Amino acid sequence: MTTISTLDLAQRWLAEDKDPKTRAQIEGLMASGNEEQLELLLRTPIEFGTAGLRARMEAGFSRLNQLTVISASQGLSAYAERTVPHALERGVVIGHDHRHNSHVFARLTARAFLDRGFRVHFFPQIGPTPQVPFAVKQLKAACGVMITASHNPKNDNGYKVYWENGAQIKPPLDEGIAACIEEHREPRSWDVKGIEHDERVEDVTVPMMDAYFAEAQKLVQDVELNQSTLLQYVYTPMHGVGAPFAARMLSSFGLPPFVAVPEQEQPDPDFPTVSFPNPEEKGALDMAKSLADAQSIGLVIANDPDADRFAAAEKQRDGSWLMFTGDQLGAIFAAYVLEMARSARVPDAKLAMVNSTVSSRMLETMARVEGFYYADTLTGFKWMANELEALQNQGYFIGLGYEEAIGYMIHDHVLDKDGVTALAVFVQLAARLHAKGQNVGDYLESLYAKYGYYTSANSYFLCPDPVKMDQIFSRIRYGTAEPGIERSEYRRTHTGDVLRYPLTIGGFPVSYIRDLTVGFEMRDVDKQAASLDIAEGECLPQFPVSSSHMITFETRNGGRLTMRTSGTEPKLKYYLEVRNSCNDRTKAAQDLNTMSQAVAAELVHAKEGRL
């Protein structure tokens, strides 16, 4: 097979691209003879996955730009027409955020669907991500597209896809769509003039947002208390789209308006006051906390730029600020959702909550104590939302889905994380606690007292060499004995390999192993022989096997460790949590520190590998 030259790739790009800006970038690189950069931009096409597309905005088949958006839309529309019943009549929902190029990307997407014969349910103005999955479900559309890169850096953008049920796509849909994109790669139309005036395009902003806020009002618990609260709070949308939507949601709950961070209130695609527009990042809420301090306000809340995530910080009685982690907020929401469900007379056994497998096990403990249904899923709301929808179809009431990366789904009207609804529910809880002379930190403490204390350390090792990354995981699952570390000898007769996992981490006995790369799962590891023959069909994981690396260990001291490769960055990520059932925080912190050191020294060999 002949490999096309870099120059030919560049010429093909110029033959297809009609955007003067990206054409000029390729022409400039050709004129300067910069083949290395041309290769980087042109050789490997941007990959369509379950998250859709997300990349830096610049020229090239590997980046997000007008040409790659057109190709993706042509392929997606063809696949939807082929696989979704009555797709053309049901139509597509399209929305966009405020990032650079989002406006034109949304209209190019609409153009491709119109050319295919689709109706287009359009949000022509900037808006939050949750509006699209809500509208897909409400309108029974064939699919939806949201142009956003969430809280990525300012030069990135994304193309997020929802399927006919209103949830993000999951395998094998992504593979089918990717194949269709390749079939329909060459762009047909760049004309977006007058898109909004096409008779098949309907501006759905008013009816859909009215319906969205009306649905969320089902979560209002005590409107009189909400209206009378003296609670004050500072809000930042992080230069994103959230402010008007958060304001309307809070008003619909009867809650008082927020005090906005003026420098961050208006949408600004350059995110001028933050290094990264992510509320999780260290320092991201500094301006909000400074404003709160200046006005003697004890609560700060935030959305990320596309308003699908939610974050909060609270001033404690000693004057320090408690920045709630994603898992702490998850536990707080779970307890409050349980209260709301009981007040609505939903049987505990019919209430369903899920979180991702890298999120805290505190939710699992709560389910065991309280009697509601719990499940964990693979990472990402594509898995959680579809799991919750399946449970709803079995007669369960959707309570909560959450991930540790501050994403929360608190109602079935949006089958995705929804930071706007989460914000109002959180403030409603804070208002109730405020009326009792308590704060949200007190509420969290009551949960620790009841369910045990959970502490976590999530981090990563930079590893840009894929060969080294493979070697690290190979050593974990196939390694040889090391001083003080016993290993398993699990002989899989059907594959011929021998799995040699460490049986201790930091000196703590391993009680559970799940390896989603090779397809292995075992419970009560420390209660079984270290040397076993594993027959075909035995020790298979519940979750699907993946080509990427992902291994989970649990230890008898209440530890849980998941290690995985990142799909978008050269990182080995790990998620470590320790539970102490007696709420002994000193012991939990000591165990966490011991296990953190063991991850680096015993498993990753970070020092030797210079990671």
Side-chain angles (χ1 to χ4, degrees), residues 371-555:
F372 62 83
Y373 181 88
Y374 165 78
D376 69 340
T377 73
L378 292 174
T379 55
F381 266 85
K382 58 181 174 284
W383 298 105
M384 282 180 280
N386 281 291
E387 175 71 16
L388 283 168
E389 185 201 32
L391 289 168
Q392 187 177 46
N393 292 336
Q394 297 170 34
Y396 286 93
F397 178 88
I398 291 181
L400 174 71
Y402 96 84
E403 62 183 1
E404 48 77 38
I406 61 172
Y408 309 96
M409 172 185 157
I410 308 181
H411 194 278
D412 66 350
H413 66 277
V414 176
L415 287 178
D416 196 10
K417 52 187 175 289
D418 178 359
V420 180
T421 301
L423 175 147
V425 171
F426 182 87
V427 175
Q428 177 175 248
L429 171 61
R432 191 194 78 183
L433 295 168
H434 187 265
K436 297 179 179 180
Q438 300 173 341
N439 62 25
V440 182
D442 296 330
Y443 192 73
L444 178 62
E445 287 297 326
S446 72
L447 302 182
Y448 286 146
K450 187 172 186 180
Y451 305 114
Y453 181 66
Y454 289 75
T455 183
S456 60
N458 302 335
S459 191
Y460 60 86
F461 297 96
L462 281 174
C463 185
D465 182 353
V467 173
K468 182 179 286 188
M469 185 79 81
D470 288 341
Q471 289 172 345
I472 291 170
F473 279 94
S474 180
R475 184 171 60 242
I476 292 171
R477 65 173 63 94
Y478 300 120
T480 56
E482 300 173 51
I485 301 177
E486 184 184 3
R487 287 186 175 269
S488 66
E489 190 82 9
Y490 299 147
R491 296 172 294 275
R492 297 199 298 176
T493 55
H494 55 295
T495 60
D497 61 352
V498 180
L499 300 174
R500 298 187 177 93
Y501 298 105
L503 297 178
T504 61
I505 297 175
F508 300 112
V510 170
S511 58
Y512 170 81
I513 301 171
R514 182 182 65 202
D515 189 337
L516 295 181
T517 308
V518 301
F520 177 84
E521 184 172 26
M522 181 182 285
R523 302 180 187 279
D524 292 325
V525 171
D526 55 333
K527 296 180 180 180
Q528 303 191 49
S531 180
L532 291 171
D533 290 324
I534 308 296
E536 187 172 5
E538 295 180 341
C539 299
L540 297 178
Q542 173 189 351
F543 292 159
V545 173
S546 170
S547 59
S548 59
H549 293 292
M550 187 171 184
I551 303 177
T552 297
F553 297 98
E554 291 182 3
T555 54

Side-chain angles (χ1 to χ4, degrees), residues 254-427:
L255 291 160
F258 52 70
V259 176
V261 179
E263 300 90 342
Q264 298 176 334
E265 185 177 13
Q266 298 304 314
D268 188 330
D270 290 319
F271 309 107
T273 68
V274 291
S275 300
F276 295 97
N278 181 354
E280 288 184 289
E281 290 288 334
K282 186 176 182 180
L285 297 186
D286 283 355
M287 291 184 74
K289 288 190 285 188
S290 294
L291 177 61
D293 285 334
Q295 298 195 23
S296 299
I297 295 173
L299 183 64
V300 164
I301 56 176
N303 288 129
D304 68 341
D306 67 327
D308 65 346
R309 287 177 168 85
F310 168 74
E314 184 181 64
K315 183 172 282 190
Q316 303 305 290
R317 291 180 177 82
D318 64 1
S320 64
W321 280 97
L322 169 62
M323 181 71 193
F324 294 106
T325 68
D327 281 320
Q328 288 173 332
L329 288 172
I332 290 164
F333 280 127
Y336 190 38
V337 165
L338 179 61
E339 290 183 37
M340 291 193 290
R342 285 174 172 169
S343 69
R345 300 188 182 279
V346 175
D348 290 347
K350 283 298 182 181
L351 176 65
M353 302 197 207
V354 305
N355 65 0
S356 67
T357 193
V358 298
S359 299
S360 175
R361 297 301 92 184
M362 187 169 181
L363 184 60
E364 182 179 27
T365 300
M366 294 171 72
R368 188 167 58 248
V369 172
E370 303 295 347
F372 62 83
Y373 181 88
Y374 165 78
D376 69 340
T377 73
L378 292 174
T379 55
F381 266 85
K382 58 181 174 284
W383 298 105
M384 282 180 280
N386 281 291
E387 175 71 16
L388 283 168
E389 185 201 32
L391 289 168
Q392 187 177 46
N393 292 336
Q394 297 170 34
Y396 286 93
F397 178 88
I398 291 181
L400 174 71
Y402 96 84
E403 62 183 1
E404 48 77 38
I406 61 172
Y408 309 96
M409 172 185 157
I410 308 181
H411 194 278
D412 66 350
H413 66 277
V414 176
L415 287 178
D416 196 10
K417 52 187 175 289
D418 178 359
V420 180
T421 301
L423 175 147
V425 171
F426 182 87
V427 175

Side-chain angles (χ1 to χ4, degrees), residues 126-187:
I126 62 175
T129 289
Q131 69 184 6
V132 169
F134 174 82
V136 171
K137 187 173 181 181
Q138 190 83 358
L139 295 168
K140 296 181 172 58
C143 61
V145 176
M146 178 68 188
I147 305 297
T148 181
S150 192
H151 54 258
N152 274 40
K154 66 179 182 179
N155 292 321
D156 290 356
N157 214 327
Y159 186 100
K160 192 173 184 180
V161 177
Y162 296 90
W163 210 235
E164 59 177 320
N165 65 345
Q168 293 181 59
I169 59 170
K170 66 176 186 177
L173 285 175
D174 58 325
E175 297 168 7
I177 295 169
C180 236
I181 290 172
E182 183 57 32
E183 288 176 32
H184 299 82
R185 190 193 58 75
E186 292 188 17

Side-chain angles (χ1 to χ4, degrees), residues 81-265:
E81 181 187 13
R82 184 185 302 173
T83 60
V84 178
H86 311 295
L88 301 185
E89 297 82 11
R90 293 167 65 180
V92 59
V93 176
I94 301 173
H96 66 89
D97 68 6
H98 67 305
R99 284 176 178 264
H100 293 296
N101 298 312
S102 286
H103 179 275
V104 69
F105 288 169
R107 282 151 179 80
L108 288 169
T109 301
R111 175 79 273 157
F113 274 87
L114 288 169
D115 289 348
R116 196 86 197 169
F118 277 75
R119 292 177 62 198
V120 174
H121 310 289
F122 200 38
F123 290 96
Q125 307 302 320
I126 62 175
T129 289
Q131 69 184 6
V132 169
F134 174 82
V136 171
K137 187 173 181 181
Q138 190 83 358
L139 295 168
K140 296 181 172 58
C143 61
V145 176
M146 178 68 188
I147 305 297
T148 181
S150 192
H151 54 258
N152 274 40
K154 66 179 182 179
N155 292 321
D156 290 356
N157 214 327
Y159 186 100
K160 192 173 184 180
V161 177
Y162 296 90
W163 210 235
E164 59 177 320
N165 65 345
Q168 293 181 59
I169 59 170
K170 66 176 186 177
L173 285 175
D174 58 325
E175 297 168 7
I177 295 169
C180 236
I181 290 172
E182 183 57 32
E183 288 176 32
H184 299 82
R185 190 193 58 75
E186 292 188 17
R188 291 193 302 267
S189 177
W190 298 71
D191 183 15
V192 298
K193 188 176 180 180
I195 282 284
E196 287 96 328
H197 305 298
D198 190 297
E199 63 181 9
R200 293 166 297 163
V201 176
E202 180 184 3
D203 182 346
V204 297
T205 305
V206 172
M208 285 301 97
M209 296 316 290
D210 284 350
Y212 168 75
F213 290 110
E215 283 289 331
Q217 280 190 284
K218 295 175 182 178
L219 297 168
V220 175
Q221 296 300 289
D222 187 338
V223 69
E224 290 184 4
L225 188 152
N226 290 352
Q227 290 172 341
S228 63
T229 185
L230 299 178
L231 178 73
Q232 291 183 291
Y233 48 97
V234 168
Y235 169 71
T236 174
M238 304 292 293
H239 298 293
V241 303
F245 303 96
R248 182 174 174 183
M249 184 66 81
L250 291 161
S251 177
S252 74
F253 272 56
L255 291 160
F258 52 70
V259 176
V261 179
E263 300 90 342
Q264 298 176 334
E265 185 177 13

